[in-house]
């Protein structure tokens, strides 16, 4: 299974937790790619961390690997100029260059995961689903679905980009990634990478919430739990941010203990990053 993470040095703890969760629940070989850049003040994801993760996955399955990709040249050749100063690191937009990155371009499909996604069950059925005629499969954004619509005012089709399964054959055929990069270069957008993908994907497959569960507490059906930001309205409005490596917050705020075995292993290994 081809897995893609994109980011700078700041995602290393989250990727460790995410990878540990994938190893726990999946027996198929994992071909994990981490795309990063060396650009201006961006601190790239380090080779040291990638090498350690590579050793970790090979201990579980010798056919698995972790490969660090320096996508600087591809990124600089077509900068998303209008969105370089956004709240998010420029690395968040690297998935939009998948068709131009040699290591990714040759793949038939790629499962993109945000660094704060934790695997709760075997993903093989999800990963190998039929994507004939589909560019990307994903789950509706639990907040954005109410406000953004692309195929009719009342049709819910705005996907959260934290978990996306890309059919690379269809994406390259339609030029979907090129369209998304072009949008980021010409127009400022809130949540630029997510907005660009939603605007550019014409053939999408909307999946059940369990494949990208953005709620603060997942249920027994959840396959992938996405620790995205949640809005809280009582006793005052605030944005609640809890990431999968923040053990104290997971226990005290979310009251979740289902990941304790993964987090115990994470605590022992994080000093190697």
């Amino acid at each position: 299974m081809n897995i893609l993470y994109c980011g700078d040095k700041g995602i290393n703890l989250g990727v460790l937790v995410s990878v540990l969760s994938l190893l726990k629940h999946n027996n198929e070989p994992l071909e994990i790619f981490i795309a990063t850049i060396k650009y201006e003040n961006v601190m790239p994801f380090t080779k040291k961390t990638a090498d350690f993760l590579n050793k970790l996955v090979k201990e579980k399955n010798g056919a698995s690997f972790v490969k660090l990709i320096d996508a600087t040249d591809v990124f600089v050749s077509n900068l998303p100029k209008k969105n370089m100063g956004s709240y998010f690191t420029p690395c968040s937009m690297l998935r939009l260059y998948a068709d131009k990155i040699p290591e990714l371009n040759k793949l038939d499909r790629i499962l993109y995961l945000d660094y704060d996604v934790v695997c709760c069950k075997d993903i093989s059925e999800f990963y190998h689903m039929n994507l004939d005629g589909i560019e990307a499969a994903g789950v509706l954004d639990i907040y954005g679905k109410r406000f953004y619509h692309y195929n009719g005012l009342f049709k819910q089709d705005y996907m959260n980009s934290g978990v996306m399964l890309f059919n690379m054959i269809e994406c390259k055929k339609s030029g979907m990634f090129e369209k998304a990069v072009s949008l980021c270069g010409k127009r400022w957008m809130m949540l630029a990478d997510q907005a660009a993908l939603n605007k550019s994907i014409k053939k999408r497959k909307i999946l059940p919430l369990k494949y990208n569960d953005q709620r603060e507490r997942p249920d027994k059906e959840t396959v992938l739990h996405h620790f995205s930001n949640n809005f809280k309205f009582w006793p005052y409005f605030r944005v609640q941010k809890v990431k999968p490596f923040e053990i104290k917050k997971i226990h005290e705020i979310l009251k979740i203990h289902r990941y304790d075995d993964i987090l115990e292993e994470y605590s022992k290994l994080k000093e190697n990053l």
Side-chain angles (χ1 to χ4, degrees):
M1 292 187 284
N2 305 315
I3 311 294
L4 174 64
Y5 298 97
C6 297
D8 55 24
K9 188 176 180 180
I11 72 169
N12 60 354
L13 297 180
V15 170
L16 174 57
V17 175
S18 189
V19 168
L20 286 172
S21 70
L22 287 170
L23 291 175
K24 176 182 176 180
H25 295 287
N26 298 276
N27 293 319
E28 280 192 50
L30 300 173
E31 300 186 356
I32 300 174
F33 301 89
I34 303 173
T36 193
I37 55 174
K38 300 172 184 175
Y39 182 76
E40 293 186 344
N41 61 344
V42 174
M43 296 292 290
F45 196 94
T46 65
K47 184 177 184 299
K48 175 187 175 183
T49 298
D51 287 346
F52 175 74
L53 292 172
N54 184 54
K55 179 182 177 183
L56 188 67
V57 301
K58 283 188 174 297
E59 288 175 355
K60 170 72 180 292
N61 188 319
S64 297
F65 64 77
V66 173
K67 182 175 181 59
L68 183 64
I69 300 172
D70 183 351
T72 306
D73 290 344
V74 172
F75 182 74
V76 172
S77 68
N78 194 1
L79 289 172
K81 296 178 181 178
K82 291 293 185 179
N83 293 276
M84 290 294 288
S86 70
Y87 171 77
F88 299 96
T89 168
C91 289
S92 68
M93 290 177 274
L94 286 179
R95 79 195 87 170
L96 307 182
Y97 295 82
D99 63 326
K100 296 293 188 293
I101 297 173
E103 294 90 340
L104 305 180
N105 177 276
K106 63 185 180 182
L107 304 175
D108 289 340
R109 64 177 62 196
I110 299 170
L111 175 58
Y112 170 81
L113 299 177
D114 272 357
Y115 77 102
D116 54 0
V117 172
V118 174
C119 181
C120 303
K121 291 185 178 182
D122 188 332
I123 63 170
S124 57
E125 184 178 352
F126 165 48
Y127 180 85
H128 294 294
M129 72 171 60
N130 187 343
L131 291 179
D132 291 347
I134 299 295
E135 292 167 304
V139 174
L140 293 174
D141 187 272
I142 59 173
Y143 297 112
K145 67 181 181 181
R146 298 180 173 88
F147 307 105
Y148 303 105
H149 310 275
Y150 294 96
N151 293 292
L153 184 60
F154 302 105
K155 185 175 179 60
Q156 292 190 337
D157 56 5
Y158 181 75
M159 297 188 293
N160 180 278
S161 64
V163 176
M164 277 196 167
L165 182 60
F166 294 113
N167 180 345
M168 293 297 291
I169 296 171
E170 287 292 334
C171 288
K172 288 185 289 185
K173 187 188 300 183
S174 67
M176 185 276 289
F177 287 118
E178 293 179 357
K179 295 172 187 174
V181 171
S182 178
L183 276 171
C184 288
K186 297 175 181 177
R187 186 192 312 172
W188 179 88
M189 295 172 286
M190 185 176 293
L191 303 177
D193 55 313
Q194 182 163 287
L197 284 167
N198 273 287
K199 289 176 182 293
S200 302
I201 295 170
K202 301 306 179 186
K203 296 173 286 185
R204 67 191 69 198
K205 187 171 188 175
I206 304 298
L207 304 174
L209 180 64
K210 66 180 182 179
Y211 293 116
N212 179 4
D213 195 336
Q214 304 142 60
R215 298 171 298 179
E216 61 180 23
R217 283 186 289 276
D219 60 28
K220 64 181 181 179
E221 299 300 321
T222 300
V223 177
L224 292 165
H225 180 200
H226 185 187
F227 282 72
S228 56
N229 295 340
N230 282 277
F231 298 131
K232 310 300 289 185
F233 299 93
W234 180 262
Y236 57 89
F237 176 79
R238 65 197 184 281
V239 178
Q240 180 173 280
K241 301 178 183 180
V242 179
K243 296 305 175 186
F245 48 86
E246 297 179 311
I247 301 175
K248 186 176 181 180
K249 286 185 177 180
I250 290 174
H251 288 163
E252 296 182 359
I253 296 176
L254 302 185
K255 311 296 184 185
I256 294 176
H257 288 273
R258 68 184 294 178
Y259 307 129
D260 282 1
D261 56 339
I262 294 171
L263 294 175
E264 182 179 354
E265 189 174 3
Y266 154 79
S267 297
K268 295 175 183 176
L269 298 175
K270 66 179 181 178
E271 299 305 323
N272 294 285
L273 303 185

